[in-house]
Amino acid sequence: MSAETSQRRARIGIMGGTFDPIHNGHLVAASEAQQQFDLDEVVFVPTGKPWMKSTVTAGEHRYLMTVIATAANPGFNVSRVDLEREGSTYTIDTLRDMRKAYPDADLFFITGADAMAQIMEWKDVSEVWTLAHFIAVSRPGHPLTISGLPTQGVSSLEVPALAISSTDCRTRVSQGFPVWYLVPDGVVQYIAKHHLYRSMP
Ligand code: ATP
């Protein structure tokens, strides 16, 4: 192994989300960031109780759908840190826990344009920048702007446009429309088997 290779720090992507359910928009964004930023691994982190959403499906269902959706990619993993922490989920806590889990790695937090637009409202935002580099990915219907944010800490990334949201997937299931090819096949099967999203909350 060359000296250059042995000194390279691991590069870990973090894809936080409610994943209610995980869909192909999440997976394409993570895959594109993985390739463009030379990430060794992308860790999907399903939220516990998100501070900005009132009703979500049980964490165990969301976790298992995320495991199923990411299983085929050896560079994708799923973490339970947010599910196991008490109280509402804040990104600052996710990042602190991931820093503990990967003390010597460079961390890259992947987030959609919609979430990025609200980042200044996040808890402890000034510390958030110190813990990870942010990759703001494009999302149909949401302008991708990083002006006003620390230029050292944020990169923008155009990803293939998939106009898919978890809200639309839940609505489609509740109305009897298919979600095949919007979410991975195994997630379609999991939703059917566990009767998820039959009625909208
Ligand atoms: P909901 O409709 O329930 O609000 P969602 O589809 O926005 O859910 P989340 O789990 O809240 O999904 O999203 C997790 C992360 O993935 C966020 O940073 C979000 O911006 C990003 N994201 C979600 N869908 C897409 C998409 N189609 N393209 C790019 N990024 C996306």
Side-chain angles (χ1 to χ4, degrees):
M1 191 186 291
S2 72
E4 191 181 312
T5 310
S6 64
Q7 283 168 14
R8 181 182 178 279
R9 285 163 66 90
R11 295 166 69 84
I12 306 296
I14 303 167
M15 181 87 198
T18 315
F19 304 137
D20 190 14
I22 190 164
H23 56 67
N24 290 341
H26 299 128
L27 294 160
V28 165
S31 170
E32 198 72 6
Q34 181 182 33
Q35 194 262 336
Q36 293 287 329
F37 285 80
D38 194 20
L39 304 177
D40 299 296
E41 189 183 331
V42 176
V43 184
F44 288 70
V45 189
T47 56
K49 184 183 172 313
W51 61 272
M52 73 308 253
K53 292 182 185 177
S54 50
T55 314
V56 294
T57 303
E60 213 53 33
H61 283 315
R62 293 183 291 107
Y63 171 77
L64 287 172
M65 288 189 282
T66 306
V67 168
I68 290 165
T70 54
N73 187 332
F76 284 178
N77 270 309
V78 188
S79 166
R80 296 181 64 92
V81 284
D82 282 353
L83 292 166
E84 283 168 7
R85 195 181 318 104
E86 296 279 308
S88 296
T89 295
Y90 295 97
T91 300
I92 185 71
D93 298 319
T94 310
L95 289 174
R96 285 177 183 144
D97 283 349
M98 294 304 284
R99 172 50 68 208
K100 278 186 214 146
Y102 297 91
D104 300 320
D106 290 331
L107 302 181
F108 296 79
F109 194 87
I110 305 161
T111 188
D114 54 318
M116 204 66 205
Q118 298 170 351
I119 198 164
M120 298 315 280
E121 296 164 28
W122 290 8
K123 186 179 163 209
D124 295 340
V125 69
S126 54
E127 189 188 341
V128 159
W129 303 121
T130 67
L131 292 171
H133 184 88
F134 278 71
I135 304 173
V137 299
S138 57
R139 182 172 186 181
H142 301 275
L144 179 55
T145 168
I146 58 172
S147 60
L149 303 176
T151 48
Q152 300 281 43
V154 189
S155 304
S156 55
L157 176 65
E158 288 288 338
V159 300
L162 294 182
I164 307 173
S165 73
S166 298
T167 302
D168 286 345
C169 292
R170 295 194 299 272
T171 304
R172 289 182 68 86
V173 174
S174 72
Q175 296 178 347
F177 289 96
V179 288
W180 287 108
Y181 318 116
L182 299 174
V183 306
D185 296 356
V187 174
V188 179
Q189 289 159 341
Y190 188 98
I191 290 169
K193 181 171 177 192
H194 295 275
H195 313 294
L196 301 184
Y197 314 126
R198 291 282 176 88
S199 60
M200 288 298 284

